[in-house]
Amino acid sequence: MSHPVLITGASQRLGLAIANDLLSRSVPVIITYRTPKPAVTQLEADGASTIQADFSTAQGIDRAIDAIQAATSGLRAIIHNASDWEPESEHRDYQSLIETMMQVHAIAPYRLNLALQSLLQGQGSTTDIIHMTDYVQLTGSQKHVAYSASKAALHNLTLSFAKMLAPDVKVNSIAPALLMFNDDDPQAYRDKARKKSLLETVPGAQEAVKAVNYLLSSDYMTGQTLHLDGGRHLK
Ligand SMILES: NC(=O)C1=CN([C@@H]2O[C@H](COP(=O)(O)OP(=O)(O)OC[C@H]3O[C@@H](n4cnc5c(N)ncnc54)[C@H](OP(=O)(O)O)[C@@H]3O)[C@@H](O)[C@H]2O)C=CC1
Ligand SMILES: Nc1nc2c(c(=O)[nH]1)N=C([C@H](O)[C@@H](O)CO)CN2
């Protein structure tokens, strides 16, 4: 039995699709979730190990590290997917907002990678860390300033950990633009957002699944970014 793939924040959307794809191919999976929901129960029924974790505090990260170390003696990969997409417009306490964004998107991946690196090493074949960043890591964002800065920090962690953990561990970013709408996105937003890319499409979660599977199968990618943006960078 191969070691499990750890996916953070996998109770919905992209993380859930990645977990379900791996399980469908009998790849063992450990997921973290923040909020209990039916999808977590279903993942457990499908054989996933599930760990409740809130990465917004140091104590929450401590507890997650302890739980993951107790759950497995090795890891095939870590996919840092957990994320809060918070705009400044919905906050007045900007100190708290950027602290939370950095906590979830940079400090948690940083601390988990350092604490769990030994679970990824010495397996005779390369293992993987994948950071789910964002198209805005290079462009910035007027409406999600703290979020964007934290994703840029996460991408920089890709570069540092790729140097630190080679050759045992490959470390890459996946930087999506719009892959999936949120249920409450109004039609006007959807129509406008679709036109932001050259391909004028919103591909859905399977685009992230395919990117993850490419990186897991690669023998020569590390310190890189897979940009899933439909050509938006050329508009
Ligand atoms: N969807 C898209 O189009 C795009 C996605 N991305 C990135 O891809 C990744 C997946 O995106 P998507 O599936 O839309 O993500 P979601 O917005 O659905 O969030 C994924 C999960 O993160 C968890 N999460 C949020 N805050 C915390 C926290 N403090 N501690 C632990 N877990 C937390 C949530 O847990 P719970 O629900 O259990 O509370 C949620 O299920 C993210 O990193 C995102 O930034 C980037 C660009 C575009
Ligand atoms: N945690 C999340 N991060 C992001 C989301 C999301 O739903 N959850 N969505 C986006 C948007 O699709 C954006 O890319 C549209 O331009 C970005 N990050």
Side-chain angles (χ1 to χ4, degrees):
M1 170 75 82
S2 59
H3 289 307
V5 174
L6 168 66
I7 309 161
T8 67
S11 68
Q12 62 187 37
R13 297 164 57 83
L14 304 189
L16 179 61
I18 294 164
N20 282 327
D21 173 71
L22 292 168
L23 289 170
S24 74
R25 294 184 283 111
S26 301
V27 176
V29 166
I30 300 174
I31 69 117
T32 80
Y33 66 96
R34 179 179 56 175
T35 311
K37 55 186 81 163
V40 175
T41 306
Q42 186 57 55
L43 284 171
E44 289 168 345
D46 294 340
S49 298
T50 65
I51 294 170
Q52 196 281 335
D54 184 338
F55 297 125
S56 62
T57 66
Q59 297 74 14
I61 294 172
D62 293 340
R63 284 193 292 269
I65 289 169
D66 290 345
I68 295 161
Q69 289 175 329
T72 186
S73 61
L75 287 169
R76 167 63 186 81
I78 303 174
I79 302 175
H80 292 287
N81 173 79
S83 170
D84 237 342
W85 188 40
E86 292 291 336
E88 271 68 23
S89 61
E90 292 178 12
H91 294 267
R92 283 293 168 270
D93 183 346
Y94 299 136
Q95 177 73 29
S96 172
L97 175 58
I98 195 159
E99 286 176 354
T100 301
M101 293 294 98
M102 289 295 177
Q103 189 73 29
V104 176
H105 299 138
I107 296 170
Y110 169 77
R111 289 202 48 214
L112 264 66
N113 289 346
L114 289 172
L116 303 174
Q117 59 183 304
S118 63
L119 299 183
L120 290 162
Q121 292 165 333
Q123 296 183 25
S125 56
T126 54
T127 55
D128 289 83
I129 292 173
I130 297 173
H131 294 153
M132 297 300 294
T133 59
D134 190 305
Y135 169 82
V136 299
Q137 72 184 30
L138 297 179
T139 65
S141 169
Q142 299 179 61
K143 295 181 179 176
H144 299 83
V145 178
Y147 164 89
S148 179
S150 67
K151 288 291 188 172
L154 179 56
H155 174 61
N156 191 265
L157 290 175
T158 295
L159 308 178
S160 298
F161 279 113
K163 293 176 184 178
M164 178 193 289
L165 300 178
D168 285 10
V169 187
K170 306 193 300 305
V171 186
N172 293 286
S173 299
I174 293 175
L178 173 59
L179 295 187
M180 274 184 88
F181 289 116
N182 280 283
D183 293 342
D184 57 355
D185 286 338
Q187 193 56 47
Y189 169 81
R190 293 172 185 244
D191 296 341
K192 182 182 176 187
R194 203 181 298 277
K195 295 188 181 306
K196 286 186 176 179
S197 71
L198 288 179
L199 299 180
E200 297 192 2
T201 186
V202 179
Q206 287 307 311
E207 192 70 13
V209 170
K210 290 183 284 187
V212 164
N213 287 327
Y214 169 70
L215 290 176
L216 294 180
S217 68
S218 168
D219 294 316
Y220 206 47
M221 282 273 279
T222 196
Q224 281 294 0
T225 295
L226 288 185
H227 292 279
L228 311 180
D229 72 0
R232 179 172 174 179
H233 64 288
L234 296 176
K235 287 261 325 185

